[in-house]
Amino acid sequence: MKYDVAHRRIWLKGEILDVNDAKVNVLSPTSQFGLNVFEGIPCYWNEETNQLYAFRLSDHYDRLIRSAKLIQFDLKYTKDDFKKALVDTVKANEYDENLSVRQTLFVDGFGSWGSEGPVEMFVAPIPRGRTSAEYNKKGLNCCVTSWRRISDENLSPRIKCGANYINSRVGQREALRNGYDTCIFLNEVGKVAEGPGSCFFMVKGDTLVTPRLTDSVLESITRDTIICLAKEELGLKVEERTIDRTELYLADEAFLCGSAMEITPIYTIDRYEVDSGEQGEITKRLHLTYLDCVRGKLANRMDWLTPIY
Ligand code: PMP
């Protein structure tokens, strides 16, 4: 049977439970200090093959392991264990729609922020319907937030840990307070970094430009996917380079991207219109190609897909 969202099945410490029974102690370091690392793994339903595909699962797990290493978690799980937990959880819910699967390693117990463990895991699917991915979705009005992105010298954005999202939060809250949809962060040296939960791309002429991985950004899997698809499927030039703030205002097209938001066009930045204030041609072509890719419709990209059923 398929469970309703309020009773969906969650994997916690080796057991599959009703979400209401999946409990974590309030004094645990994950609860008190955001001491966890996690992934949001997109899964797409393909109606033609009646199959659910996890997108770039192995790459998500590699990043999870890198995050765990940097934050010094001892792992009792292997990549195979990660995968089995995800597959078992999705199957337990019998999902036949798009999902974002939250897979989190966290420090449980009664310790402090310096605790070594115990490191535990949960897997929680977030159902997203079958049609989350339309390509002419509304664009974003962004500001450049006055907060700076965290840097590798204090709390590295390379680590996908819960605590990092408090930096995202202050930028996002400022944007909403001031009437924008979201924000773009500059890094500590004042160059463009990323969105609060997304990477930034702009189009200049026939070139796609995005900040370097050393400009204070998460090593985004969508970013990497877009770079590959742009070069290999669409024949575009791609530059990974430092971007000045004023370049934002002169972009021909711009978008934010991530596993959850896919490719979402930006209409304005600090009220400067980007292009004509609509979704640009290159952004649209990239988004369509991206959707074909994640749904298993690009024959030469099937190695990025893991069938669940
Ligand atoms: N940057 C940040 C800060 C994020 O939270 C995310 C979403 N995980 C991204 C970029 C995009 O990463 P990915 O493409 O791997 O989802």
Side-chain angles (χ1 to χ4, degrees):
M1 76 169 272
K2 204 168 156 188
Y3 297 94
D4 76 72
V5 169
H7 291 282
R8 78 189 100 153
R9 268 36 192 170
I10 304 283
W11 191 106
L12 176 67
K13 303 185 199 175
E15 272 186 279
I16 292 187
L17 306 165
D18 181 309
V19 61
N20 302 290
D21 300 323
K23 301 216 165 92
V24 172
N25 149 30
V26 288
L27 278 178
S28 59
T30 187
S31 163
Q32 292 194 77
F33 309 109
L35 188 53
N36 57 62
V37 293
F38 68 97
E39 288 296 318
I41 300 164
C43 299
Y44 281 86
W45 180 252
N46 182 315
E47 297 195 359
E48 284 149 31
T49 54
N50 272 332
Q51 182 57 272
L52 185 68
Y53 293 111
F55 187 59
R56 298 192 66 172
L57 191 59
S58 177
D59 296 312
H60 277 281
Y61 291 151
D62 286 341
R63 184 172 67 184
L64 187 63
I65 290 166
R66 292 198 300 274
S67 292
K69 176 176 181 175
L70 287 170
I71 210 166
Q72 281 206 278
F73 283 0
D74 277 335
L75 289 189
K76 59 181 173 191
Y77 301 108
T78 63
K79 269 175 89 169
D80 283 342
D81 298 331
F82 292 156
K83 180 179 166 192
K84 183 170 185 318
L86 179 137
V87 170
D88 288 351
T89 313
V90 174
K91 282 186 176 166
N93 288 282
E94 298 181 17
Y95 281 125
D96 55 2
E97 62 183 292
N98 303 338
L99 305 171
S100 171
V101 181
R102 178 64 43 83
Q103 192 149 3
T104 300
L105 300 167
F106 63 95
V107 177
D108 201 3
F110 292 89
S112 185
W113 40 263
S115 301
E116 282 184 8
V119 176
E120 294 294 352
M121 177 162 76
F122 73 76
V123 184
I126 302 164
R128 304 190 71 199
R130 284 195 178 181
T131 54
S132 70
E134 13 65 277
Y135 46 85
N136 51 357
K137 61 173 125 178
K138 195 183 156 300
L140 300 166
N141 294 307
C142 299
C143 62
V144 173
T145 172
S146 65
W147 298 97
R148 292 297 168 98
R149 189 73 182 127
I150 43 177
S151 85
D152 202 62
E153 286 156 59
N154 43 62
L155 195 56
S156 178
R158 180 169 285 112
I159 307 172
K160 193 167 169 61
C161 65
N164 281 7
Y165 285 81
I166 302 305
N167 175 242
S168 301
R169 177 181 168 85
V170 292
Q172 179 67 17
R173 296 304 309 179
E174 181 186 56
L176 295 177
R177 238 179 8 257
N178 292 331
Y180 298 94
D181 298 314
T182 191
C183 69
I184 296 166
F185 280 94
L186 304 182
N187 61 23
E188 279 198 335
V189 293
K191 303 300 178 188
V192 175
E194 61 182 342
S198 53
C199 277
F200 175 79
F201 278 85
M202 65 179 186
V203 176
K204 293 286 287 177
D206 61 354
T207 305
L208 198 59
V209 189
T210 193
R212 299 170 306 174
L213 289 178
T214 48
D215 284 335
S216 297
V217 302
L218 180 72
E219 293 179 342
S220 153
I221 288 160
T222 317
R223 174 188 179 281
D224 184 70
T225 302
I226 288 168
I227 291 173
C228 291
L229 295 178
K231 284 184 188 164
E232 289 160 29
E233 305 293 329
L234 300 181
L236 297 171
K237 279 188 266 176
V238 181
E239 282 180 9
E240 293 173 68
R241 66 162 174 82
T242 295
I243 298 176
D244 282 341
R245 178 174 185 161
T246 47
E247 289 186 277
L248 297 176
Y249 308 142
L250 300 174
D252 294 331
E253 299 177 26
F255 59 86
L256 292 175
C257 71
S259 299
M261 69 191 310
E262 300 170 342
I263 294 176
T264 303
I266 294 174
Y267 287 172
T268 64
I269 304 176
D270 286 342
R271 309 272 185 231
Y272 284 93
E273 271 196 1
V274 174
D275 193 17
S276 57
E278 298 203 351
Q279 179 168 19
E281 233 4 83
I282 290 180
T283 307
K284 195 184 285 179
R285 278 170 60 208
L286 267 172
H287 196 184
L288 287 171
T289 309
Y290 180 81
L291 292 180
D292 281 348
C293 177
V294 294
R295 290 216 173 107
K297 295 181 182 175
L298 285 188
N300 58 337
R301 293 290 169 189
M302 290 304 284
D303 56 331
W304 275 343
L305 272 53
T306 303
I308 299 290
Y309 294 112

